[in-house]
Amino acid sequence: MMASPSDPRQAYLRDLGAAHGFTLEELEVNRQGRLHPAQAKRGKSSGIGGGVFLLLLGLLVAAGGVGGALYLYDDYSKPISDIDMNGLYALGGGGVVLGGLLGIGALLTFRKVGARRKAYAQSPALVAQGPLQKVHIDGRGGMPSQWRYVIGGVAFVVSQKAWELTTHGAHYRVYHLVGDLLSIEPL
């Protein structure tokens, strides 16, 4: 039996989809344990910008530290005291170490993005269901507030609008992959 356009459940599912970023067609594909092509495309396309930023920032910091030390070395009157020389070593070495740490962060980000893309290319949609726990973390000290769901032992960060649309303690089914909420429906 087809649901009528005025069916309250269908209207609620459409509202959930609008708030969480999925369509009813995507939900139906998730119910079959698969990813919708649009979800797979979204999942594979995100995340590399942060790694590129960290890598470029690391190179800039390392070059700035070494370049600054060389510039100051040329600027000092000769002979250079041991204290001044230690300062130059600290400046150059500090830039290289900090740049290296940022580079390691970039590599870890690239690795995470690669694992995410692989999961979206190969993995089926996972399912978590049960009573929904709504968690609100109030932002303090300039930090933004955060809204989360915990369902079946899995946590998801969601928008305030999505958070307000669900009912704490009600039973829901969530389709997810690598920490991303793909779709959600009440049970």
Side-chain angles (χ1 to χ4, degrees), residues 29-171:
V29 172
N30 293 158
R31 286 175 178 155
Q32 299 165 15
R34 297 180 295 126
L35 291 178
H36 188 277
Q39 291 171 323
K41 183 178 178 183
R42 283 192 304 265
K44 290 184 211 175
S45 67
S46 61
I48 200 154
V52 171
F53 174 76
L54 285 175
L55 183 61
L56 293 175
L57 184 61
L59 291 171
L60 184 65
V61 167
V66 172
L70 290 173
Y71 176 78
L72 288 174
Y73 177 80
D74 286 342
D75 199 38
Y76 282 142
S77 60
K78 308 299 185 255
I80 300 174
S81 71
D82 287 343
I83 293 174
D84 288 341
M85 203 62 199
N86 288 339
L88 294 174
Y89 289 143
L91 179 61
V96 169
V97 168
L98 186 57
L101 290 174
L102 289 167
I104 289 170
L107 292 176
L108 292 174
T109 301
F110 291 143
R111 188 175 192 184
K112 184 178 177 181
V113 168
R116 176 187 173 84
R117 288 182 176 180
K118 183 177 179 182
Y120 268 91
Q122 299 175 352
S123 298
L126 303 174
V127 179
Q129 63 185 30
L132 182 96
Q133 296 174 335
K134 295 168 64 170
V135 179
H136 175 237
I137 301 169
D138 193 21
R140 295 182 188 213
M143 298 297 292
S145 291
Q146 195 175 78
W147 293 269
R148 293 182 184 189
Y149 298 154
V150 179
I151 184 167
V154 185
F156 305 97
V157 176
V158 296
S159 69
Q160 181 180 2
K161 180 180 179 182
W163 190 84
E164 290 172 351
L165 193 57
T166 56
T167 304
H168 180 81
H171 287 253

Side-chain angles (χ1 to χ4, degrees), residues 3-17 24 27 31 171-173 175 184-187:
S4 69
S6 62
D7 181 10
R9 179 174 169 83
Q10 287 299 103
Y12 183 55
L13 286 173
R14 277 192 297 279
D15 291 344
L16 284 172
L24 293 180
L27 173 61
R31 286 175 178 155
H171 287 253
Y172 286 86
R173 180 179 298 126
Y175 300 94
I184 183 172
E185 64 181 332
L187 295 178

